[in-house]
Amino acid sequence: MKLSEIKEILTTVEAVNFQLPDGKFVPEYFHVTEVGLVTKNFIDCGGVVRKETVVNFQLWDANDYEHRLKPQKLIHIIELSEKVLGIEDFEIEVEYQNTTIGKYDLGFNGKDFLLLNKTTACLAQDQCGIPSEKPKLKLTQLHTDDANSCTPGGTCC
């Protein structure tokens, strides 16, 4: 989800809730402790230099049981970060500490924000010797030469 999308959604919801991939929710008394711009400069295994930039939200459970982040307050935090840090309309990455700090992509199901598991991938598969996936065939799709095929009562087996 891009920054512009969350801002638009926040104007339509009454509460800000984040659901983890296991279906549990981040406690409703969470804080957004950071909105930042994270740029990663790296080289992939094929030697290509790459650059990735995301807007990072950090969620924190402070056991502040009376705290509730309202949608308008989160919009204000986002707009302040855009102004002060010069943040553009990048994809959002969310950090949340469960058993360890996890990084998630962000989705929305019409009511709640969804923390989606991120995955890794090789960006230079053609350089790494990773074989391309072979097409899967059903046995019924295989053509046989009748002269060489086994039939009941035949002598091939």
Side-chain angles (χ1 to χ4, degrees):
M1 173 181 300
K2 288 189 170 260
L3 195 59
S4 59
E5 294 173 86
I6 193 171
K7 287 170 51 180
E8 184 177 321
I9 291 168
L10 287 169
T11 64
T12 66
V13 295
E14 293 182 23
V16 181
N17 300 307
F18 290 94
Q19 187 175 17
L20 293 158
D22 66 2
K24 295 178 184 172
F25 283 84
V26 171
E28 60 187 2
Y29 44 85
F30 74 92
H31 290 248
V32 174
T33 57
E34 295 178 10
V35 173
L37 190 62
V38 177
T39 301
K40 177 180 169 183
N41 293 307
F42 61 101
I43 187 167
D44 68 25
C45 58
V48 176
V49 175
R50 297 179 184 265
K51 180 178 179 180
E52 179 182 283
T53 303
V54 295
V55 175
N56 182 270
F57 287 15
Q58 186 181 78
L59 308 183
W60 182 52
D61 171 4
N63 295 326
D64 179 7
Y65 301 110
E66 301 305 315
H67 181 267
R68 300 292 182 274
L69 180 65
K70 301 291 184 203
Q72 191 56 41
K73 176 66 175 179
L74 184 52
I75 290 172
H76 174 72
I77 294 168
I78 292 168
E79 288 175 345
L80 181 60
S81 67
E82 287 175 309
K83 178 182 171 185
V84 173
L85 300 175
I87 293 178
E88 297 175 27
D89 193 24
F90 293 111
E91 289 290 323
I92 298 171
E93 176 180 84
V94 179
E95 285 182 356
Y96 177 66
Q97 182 172 342
N98 202 352
T99 54
T100 188
I101 297 172
K103 292 185 177 189
Y104 302 91
D105 286 327
L106 188 62
F108 187 68
N109 67 6
K111 180 180 179 228
D112 301 309
F113 291 100
L114 305 174
L115 299 182
L116 307 169
N117 286 325
K118 294 177 78 75
T119 58
T120 61
C122 178
L123 300 175
Q125 290 187 16
D126 58 329
Q127 301 292 316
C128 287
I130 297 172
S132 59
E133 195 171 313
K134 293 181 182 179
K136 294 182 181 182
L137 297 174
K138 294 180 181 179
L139 290 176
T140 57
Q141 293 174 307
L142 295 176
H143 297 289
T144 59
D145 181 358
D146 288 337
N148 294 325
S149 66
C150 289
T151 57
T155 60
C156 66
C157 300

